[in-house]
Amino acid sequence: MLWVVPDLVNDINMSVGRRWQGLDPLLPEPTDLPEGCMAPLLATGEHGRPAGLGVCLHQHVPADTLAQTWGAAVRFVLTLRLRDPDTRVADDLLALWRDHLAGVPEAGAEDTAAVVNWPAREVTGVAALLRHGLQPIAVIAARPAGRPVPAGGADAVPGLVIRAAGPDDVDVVTEMGMAVVSYDAHFGGSIPRPATERLVRAEAQAALARRPAWIWLAELDRRPVGLTVVDSPGDSAWIAGMARPGVTVYLQIMFVRPDERGGGIGAALVRHVHGELDARGIDLTLLHYSQVNPLSAPFWNRMGYRPLWTSWEARPAAALR
Ligand SMILES: CC(C)(COP(=O)(O)OP(=O)(O)OC[C@H]1O[C@@H](n2cnc3c(N)ncnc32)[C@H](O)[C@@H]1OP(=O)(O)O)[C@@H](O)C(=O)NCCC(=O)NCCS
């Protein structure tokens, strides 16, 4: 491993930022690299020229947070920056990272993951991620405001009523939130924990008390059949920096009861929610879906979302090769 000077970090970081802006206007402006667990990993290109950097962060996700339901308890996150589209440089950096983690004892534990968040349109480097044993687990998808909404509101489904949820709906919001956690567990998107249900309920209770509401229910004959939960702009700050500046919200939960799917309820609910978000001046809506969830990727695409980032993971972290 080589030690690098701040000017070099800025230089590579800035050129990467400019390239990404050309690839995808929804990506954020170049930002400083995070403070890692050690000096950045450095890979060189032709004539020994510095060609790429990697910064490793060790994250311990507390058991009493929902974040631990949406991933491993200990995450080793690599921020990877390549000066030019060069898969060999990505390969070298991932090999340095693997060697670094091999010397970290806790990276051998079961409930761990090695994580790389990679711009979805940055196809350079994907072959290297695969070669090192990383799998595309989740996608962050984005919908800019005003994107055409497919036809079919509540009127498209006879008897469907869509309404803002309130404090009395805590049981059904918890139940449907837990159903999404269970469904996503099939794809590695979630890891149900002993505390998950308690935390989902507590979060629902707090969110349902807020006005204006950011939670909507779809009902047939007063029976709740679908749910959409959005985090307000203030509660979405943790992810807003993954996209260009603007008023950003995070769509946290989308669910339709299994026996009611395929009839347009999901589309009607999302159409209604988009109308509300557009009216509230939201610039961008972000959400996660599991890469191999067979229902969500095509659904979100039809609803105007497209991939922005892919989260690549090796679980446990020692599976990185
Ligand atoms: C994703 C999800 C919310 C979609 O809800 P839905 O009510 O089934 O959505 P829609 O009915 O609007 O659309 C689904 C399908 O029904 C079709 N459809 C829509 N309106 C229809 C109608 N009137 N008649 C028949 N089919 C219809 C759509 O074209 C779509 O078809 P396809 O995906 O097979 O091509 C639902 O599948 C779900 O809850 N999945 C489990 C949880 C989940 O994955 N949540 C998302 C996590 S990110």
Side-chain angles (χ1 to χ4, degrees):
M1 191 199 5
L2 296 169
W3 295 82
V4 293
V5 293
D7 279 358
L8 175 59
V9 174
N10 290 340
D11 182 37
I12 292 186
N13 197 29
M14 292 305 285
S15 74
V16 169
R18 279 192 298 273
R19 193 156 52 82
W20 282 0
Q21 286 303 301
L23 280 175
D24 187 343
L26 292 184
L27 286 171
E29 293 286 320
T31 55
D32 289 338
L33 284 170
E35 187 84 26
C37 64
M38 57 178 179
L41 302 164
L42 172 70
T44 51
E46 280 185 11
H47 313 299
R49 184 175 183 244
L53 294 168
V55 175
C56 177
L57 278 175
H58 300 193
Q59 295 178 339
H60 296 84
V61 183
D64 62 348
T65 62
L66 266 180
Q68 218 197 59
T69 292
W70 296 107
V74 181
R75 301 171 201 173
F76 303 93
V77 183
L78 184 72
T79 301
L80 200 55
R81 301 281 160 91
L82 312 180
R83 187 194 294 275
D84 299 307
D86 188 337
T87 300
R88 191 194 59 74
V89 173
D91 213 9
D92 288 350
L93 286 166
L94 290 166
L96 288 170
W97 188 41
R98 173 201 60 209
D99 295 347
H100 159 62
L101 291 183
V104 176
E106 67 176 343
E110 194 53 32
D111 198 354
T112 59
V115 182
V116 179
N117 292 310
W118 196 238
R121 292 185 177 178
E122 173 62 292
V123 295
T124 302
V126 168
L129 292 162
L130 288 167
R131 199 156 40 236
H132 285 272
L134 291 141
Q135 298 174 315
I137 297 283
V139 172
I140 297 177
R143 172 198 179 256
R147 228 162 159 201
V149 183
D155 301 352
V157 183
L160 191 71
V161 172
I162 296 172
R163 65 168 176 88
D168 292 346
D169 298 307
V170 66
D171 287 343
V172 72
V173 171
T174 304
E175 179 214 323
M176 290 191 183
M178 285 302 294
V180 172
V181 170
S182 302
Y183 190 66
D184 256 332
H186 292 292
F187 321 112
S190 70
I191 304 175
R193 309 277 183 180
T196 299
E197 182 156 5
R198 176 175 57 80
L199 294 167
V200 168
R201 177 175 288 275
E203 195 173 274
Q205 214 147 19
L208 286 164
R210 291 191 197 114
R211 283 294 172 270
W214 294 85
I215 303 182
W216 290 268
L217 281 167
E219 293 181 331
L220 281 175
D221 301 326
R222 295 179 172 262
R223 192 171 48 91
V225 291
L227 170 73
T228 306
V229 177
V230 177
D231 290 344
S232 68
D235 289 340
S236 302
W238 64 277
I239 197 169
M242 297 295 280
R244 70 173 185 205
V247 185
T248 300
V249 290
Y250 180 66
L251 196 155
Q252 193 200 119
I253 296 175
M254 177 71 211
F255 182 77
V256 171
R257 289 199 191 283
D259 50 352
E260 303 287 355
R261 289 178 193 159
I265 293 173
L269 191 46
V270 170
R271 191 173 202 274
H272 179 93
V273 170
H274 283 169
E276 295 269 356
L277 298 181
D278 290 353
R280 292 180 195 187
I282 304 304
D283 296 316
L284 193 71
T285 305
L286 300 176
L287 54 81
H288 274 101
Y289 63 80
S290 296
Q291 173 74 64
V292 293
N293 179 336
L295 301 176
S296 57
F299 177 76
W300 288 124
N301 186 253
R302 272 199 312 277
M303 296 302 124
Y305 293 77
R306 53 86 158 169
L308 181 63
W309 294 88
T310 307
S311 178
W312 293 79
E313 297 195 18
R315 289 188 197 165
L320 194 67
R321 58 172 192 258

